Each structure stands twice: as C-alpha cells, then as structure tokens.
Amino acid sequence: MSNDLINHLKFYRDLGFKELDIPVSIPPPAAESVEASPVVAPPTSAAQAAAVKDTLQIIQDDIGDCTRCGLHEGRNKIVFGDGNPNAKLVFVGEGPGADEDAQGIPFVGRAGQLLTDMIEKTAVGEGITVKRPDIYICNVVKCRPPGNRAPEADEMATCGQFLERQLKNIQPKAICVLGATAAKALLNSTIGITKMRGEWHEWNDIPVMPTFHPSYLLRAYNKEAKRLAWEDLKKVLHYVYD
Ligand code: SF4
C-alpha cells in the first residue's frame, strides 16, 4: 500500500470513520500528481466549539469564582439563578440582596416571597397551573452590590454576558423584567418603568414584559403599583400558559 493511500486512510480514521463506503481515489504517481484538496475539510476549532451546546452548568462553570468586576469584593455567594432550566417563563431582577447573597439563591427575601406569592396566587386565580419551581429566576448581576445600590453600567455590561447566555440557553416563551434597572439592561431603553410596564417589548425575538420590582411593591404607599403589577403578571401568565 502506498504512503499516500495510508495517509489518506489515516485522515478518514482521524475523522471518526470506521468503514469507508465511498470511493477513495488513489492519487496518481508523484511525478504526475497535482496537490489534491481533501474531500471533507477537517473540522475547524470554531466549528467544534459551536458543536458543544451551551448549558446552564457550563455557564455557571465559566463564571467560576468570578472576579471580572468590582462586585466580587463584597459578595458572600454568587447568585447564578434558580428554577426550571426548561422554563417557559423567566423573571429577571437587577441583583441579589442580603438574603440572596447569604443563600446563593435569587429572590428568597421578603421581595422574593412577594414575587412567589404573586406568581402562584395570580396563577390560581386565573386557573393556570404554575408554581415557582416551574419558572426560572435570575438577575442581571450575580453578586450583591454594596448597600443594595443599583449596579453600575460597567458591572451590568460585564456580568450581562452570563445573563445573555442563560436566556439564549433557556429560550423561554417570555421574559418578565422586574424594575427599571433590569428593564434598562435588557431593553437598552431610557424610558422609565412606569411608562414601559404593561406593554410587550422584545429581546432577541423573545417577548419581554417589564413590570415593577417586588421590593418597590413592598412599600406601603404603592397600592396602585401593586394592582398594576398584578395586571402585568396576568398578561404574562396567560400569554405563556394559555
Ligand atoms: S457581578 Fe458578575 S461579573 Fe461581577 S464579579 Fe460577580 S459574577 Fe463576576
């Protein structure tokens, strides 16, 4: 067997072929041969990378013990996200608070309890079967901003790459953004939440409903905002689960 044929067969073996049922042309003798290009181009590293599907676990592993922005300095736990990885509905808040930072789970404090109640009680009232574990919840930034301040633009830009990957991986039917900061991060809009809420917007072809952040709703004087947030949530639940 000629060296050319051996090399040719090795090439197919390296591509993973166990048997060849396609004709392999044996190159003509060296004196007459012209440089032949391979029948199947070897896979490029970009093609190989594209073939590896992103998963929430891969994204979380990529975050690792992240120090990509200044928020890592004051955090206890990175709050990646929580819920059903195949959720039809994703809620996005702005960043973890003290309870979330301590537990590493988003929306577990008072605001989180309110959000859970809003979702589950509205669903029951509307005849829709959905519980908190059915949905997915995460934030724009994964580490707690000191003193519960809003995340800075550069922190959101740095951490936003992970949110983008989470949403692209889950591919929900709809996203509900909670509060002005999350709405701005996702929709790149300067319009206030009061004007944006209640109407559908879009992120990467996924419908997005902005509404008030539950911590804003906890303030005693916000009865009207609560009513509006419930209306928004009804719209979202019917759109996703009807
Ligand atoms: S907020 Fe995001 S980018 Fe910044 S340190 Fe935490 S995980 Fe990393």
Side-chain angles (χ1 to χ4, degrees):
M1 206 182 285
S2 76
N3 281 344
D4 281 330
L5 177 56
I6 291 166
N7 289 337
H8 217 76
L9 291 171
K10 276 185 183 165
F11 168 65
Y12 281 96
R13 184 202 59 196
D14 292 343
L15 286 175
F17 286 95
K18 299 250 183 325
E19 293 173 8
L20 284 176
D21 58 359
I22 53 170
V24 177
S25 58
I26 302 169
E32 298 165 26
S33 75
V34 218
E35 198 68 12
S37 53
V39 181
V40 183
T44 62
S45 56
Q48 280 167 335
V52 179
K53 191 184 178 304
D54 211 8
T55 65
L56 293 179
Q57 189 57 57
I58 290 174
I59 302 165
Q60 195 163 8
D61 291 346
D62 284 351
I63 291 180
D65 191 19
C66 186
T67 56
R68 291 173 180 86
C69 85
L71 291 181
H72 80 277
E73 288 168 14
R75 73 156 182 253
N76 286 304
K77 289 193 174 158
I78 292 177
V79 183
F80 177 67
D82 181 51
N84 180 356
N86 302 308
K88 291 182 183 168
L89 175 59
V90 174
F91 286 82
V92 179
E94 91 181 28
D99 295 313
E100 291 76 17
D101 176 61
Q103 296 185 42
I105 304 169
F107 285 94
V108 286
R110 281 181 68 221
Q113 190 52 54
L114 177 60
L115 180 64
T116 304
D117 281 354
M118 282 174 69
I119 295 165
E120 297 193 348
K121 288 181 182 165
T122 308
V124 169
E126 298 299 303
I128 295 166
T129 311
V130 61
K131 297 270 184 203
R132 176 163 164 158
D134 299 322
I135 57 157
Y136 192 84
I137 306 182
C138 56
N139 287 301
V140 178
V141 293
K142 314 300 186 207
C143 301
R144 183 193 181 197
N148 288 345
R149 68 160 168 78
E152 304 283 355
D154 62 321
E155 294 158 351
M156 290 197 286
T158 307
C159 206
Q161 60 181 302
F162 302 118
L163 173 65
E164 184 176 339
R165 284 172 63 190
Q166 282 173 300
L167 295 174
K168 282 183 174 168
N169 183 260
I170 297 170
Q171 281 292 322
K173 190 169 173 187
I175 299 166
C176 185
V177 280
L178 303 166
T181 308
K184 193 176 167 201
L186 216 64
L187 301 171
N188 198 22
S189 169
T190 49
I191 305 171
I193 190 72
T194 312
K195 289 207 172 123
M196 286 186 94
R197 59 140 293 276
E199 301 291 334
W200 287 107
H201 301 256
E202 212 173 74
W203 178 86
N204 278 24
D205 296 331
I206 302 173
V208 177
M209 173 65 72
T211 194
F212 297 113
H213 194 285
S215 58
Y216 174 72
L217 301 176
L218 283 171
R219 295 173 205 166
Y221 56 86
N222 281 335
K223 285 215 169 77
E224 177 60 6
K226 261 184 212 150
R227 188 187 67 74
L228 294 172
W230 251 274
E231 292 302 320
D232 298 343
L233 196 53
K234 274 192 218 171
K235 256 189 211 176
V236 171
L237 291 175
H238 279 296
Y239 174 77
V240 175
Y241 295 103
D242 276 357

